[in-house]
């Protein structure tokens, strides 16, 4: 899913704004989001965001609650999703692997997919350990390089794609903290490639750790990731190494299964 430079193509800006709002609406899920919140997150004025949302509503791509206060995914998104799922959805292939990962590690296990410059969580399976981290759940999005799943995917992209991504997103430091400055993020990318899996030592929520391993499409590109999250005291150096081995084994199993499926 390399980024295509579409400068000069008529209507590109309008399409980009609409797509950005659609992603934000779907990320809000069943709770929906106000136009003010959506405009702020999309970097648009409120009138512009409202005008685009109204146009998307006419096409059935978004909806609004009875009070007209919160915007929600529309019915056309469901219909489009069912068609696209035949090609892109690997949740059926991954479900038992994610469950096995949660059982083996006793931590919460996840499957995430790359969508442009973000990852989206598709599956969550609770571990048996009673204290859990709730940073990640179905539908939650993070920029690449922030959560462990996105760091795992970013680390195994071609170097020119990594450079382009960091150039496109100077806001990572402001939004996610100094640990996401390019130099520090590049250091974590190098460490991830050496280990084979990513480690997030509480960089999103203090005390909540994560591990991520990339899952590859048939063309060799990292398109998905398996990850684990849990509380810090469960992630001692020795246990991180053991968890990492288990995580990689499950990621390799899913990669092989996807290749055999022809996707």
């Amino acid at each position: 899913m390399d980024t295509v430079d579409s400068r000069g193509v008529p209507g590109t800006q309008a399409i980009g704004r609409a797509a950005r709002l659609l992603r934000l609406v779907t990320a809000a899920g069943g709770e929906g989001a106000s136009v003010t919140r959506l405009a702020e997150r999309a970097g648009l004025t409120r009138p512009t965001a409202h005008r685009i949302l109204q146009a998307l509503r006419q096409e059935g791509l978004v909806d609004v609650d009875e009070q007209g206060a919160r915007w929600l995914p529309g019915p056309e998104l469901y219909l489009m999703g069912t068609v696209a799922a035949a090609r892109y959805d690997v949740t059926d292939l991954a479900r038992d692997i994610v469950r096995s990962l949660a059982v083996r590690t006793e931590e919460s296990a996840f499957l995430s997919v790359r969508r442009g410059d973000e990852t989206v969580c598709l599956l969550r399976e609770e571990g048996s350990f009673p204290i859990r981290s709730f940073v990640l759940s179905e539908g939650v999005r993070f920029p690449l390089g922030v959560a462990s799943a996105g760091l795992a995917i970013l680390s195994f992209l071609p170097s020119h794609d990594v450079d382009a991504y960091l150039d496109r997103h100077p806001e990572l430091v402001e939004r996610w903290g100094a640990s996401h400055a390019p130099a520090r993020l590049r250091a974590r990318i190098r460490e991830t490639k050496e280990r084979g899996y990513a480690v997030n030592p509480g960089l999103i929520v203090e005390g909540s750790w994560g591990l991520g391993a990339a899952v590859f499409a048939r063309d060799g590109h990292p398109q998905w990731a398996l990850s684990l999250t849990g509380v810090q005291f469960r992630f001692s150096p020795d246990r991180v190494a053991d968890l990492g081995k288990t995580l990689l084994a499950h990621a390799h199993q899913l990669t092989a299964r996807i290749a055999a499926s022809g996707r």
Side-chain angles (χ1 to χ4, degrees), residues 103-233:
V103 170
R104 289 279 301 277
T105 64
E106 301 181 342
E107 308 295 348
S108 296
F110 309 86
L111 170 71
S112 297
V113 63
R114 182 187 177 193
R115 287 292 178 262
D117 286 353
E118 298 177 312
T119 56
V120 185
C121 180
L122 299 178
L123 288 175
R124 174 182 177 123
E125 187 72 31
E126 300 290 2
S128 61
F129 191 72
I131 303 176
R132 298 166 182 163
S133 167
F134 292 95
V135 173
L136 195 58
S137 59
E138 289 94 337
V140 170
R141 294 172 177 261
F142 282 108
L144 295 178
V146 175
S148 59
L151 177 58
I153 290 173
L154 183 65
S155 297
F156 289 95
L157 290 176
S159 58
H160 64 272
D161 285 348
V162 174
D163 294 340
Y165 172 77
L166 294 177
D167 287 343
R168 285 195 302 274
H169 295 284
E171 80 284 356
L172 289 175
V173 175
E174 180 179 353
R175 185 171 178 193
W176 298 101
S179 60
H180 295 87
R184 296 176 68 175
L185 190 50
R186 288 184 186 278
R188 287 202 297 282
I189 287 172
R190 288 193 297 271
E191 293 167 358
T192 299
K193 293 175 77 170
E194 291 171 1
R195 274 192 308 259
Y197 58 89
V199 177
N200 187 318
L203 299 179
I204 300 175
V205 175
E206 185 176 357
S208 177
W209 281 48
L211 270 65
V215 174
F216 297 85
R218 294 179 71 194
D219 62 6
H221 280 74
Q223 186 60 41
W224 304 271
L226 295 177
S227 59
L228 296 165
T229 66
V231 290
Q232 181 176 353
F233 71 84

Side-chain angles (χ1 to χ4, degrees), residues 36-51:
T36 301
R37 176 64 170 164
L38 292 169
E40 176 184 310
R41 294 291 305 277
L44 302 171
T45 64
R46 189 182 186 282
T48 297
H50 189 263
R51 184 170 64 252

Side-chain angles (χ1 to χ4, degrees), residues 77-97:
L77 284 183
Y78 169 76
L79 296 175
M80 292 178 178
T82 58
V83 175
R87 181 177 180 189
Y88 295 107
D89 186 15
V90 301
T91 53
D92 288 343
L93 297 177
R95 199 175 302 277
D96 65 315
I97 293 177

Side-chain angles (χ1 to χ4, degrees), residues 10-89:
T12 295
Q13 184 181 49
I15 293 171
R17 288 174 170 178
R20 193 153 64 245
L21 285 169
L22 276 175
R23 285 194 293 269
L24 291 169
V25 170
T26 56
E31 294 184 1
S34 68
V35 66
T36 301
R37 176 64 170 164
L38 292 169
E40 176 184 310
R41 294 291 305 277
L44 302 171
T45 64
R46 189 182 186 282
T48 297
H50 189 263
R51 184 170 64 252
I52 296 171
L53 288 168
Q54 289 288 10
L56 292 172
R57 186 187 184 193
Q58 289 180 0
E59 299 298 330
L61 295 169
V62 299
D63 205 351
V64 67
D65 65 15
E66 293 181 359
Q67 289 75 37
R70 306 192 75 79
W71 291 86
L72 304 154
E76 284 296 326
L77 284 183
Y78 169 76
L79 296 175
M80 292 178 178
T82 58
V83 175
R87 181 177 180 189
Y88 295 107
D89 186 15

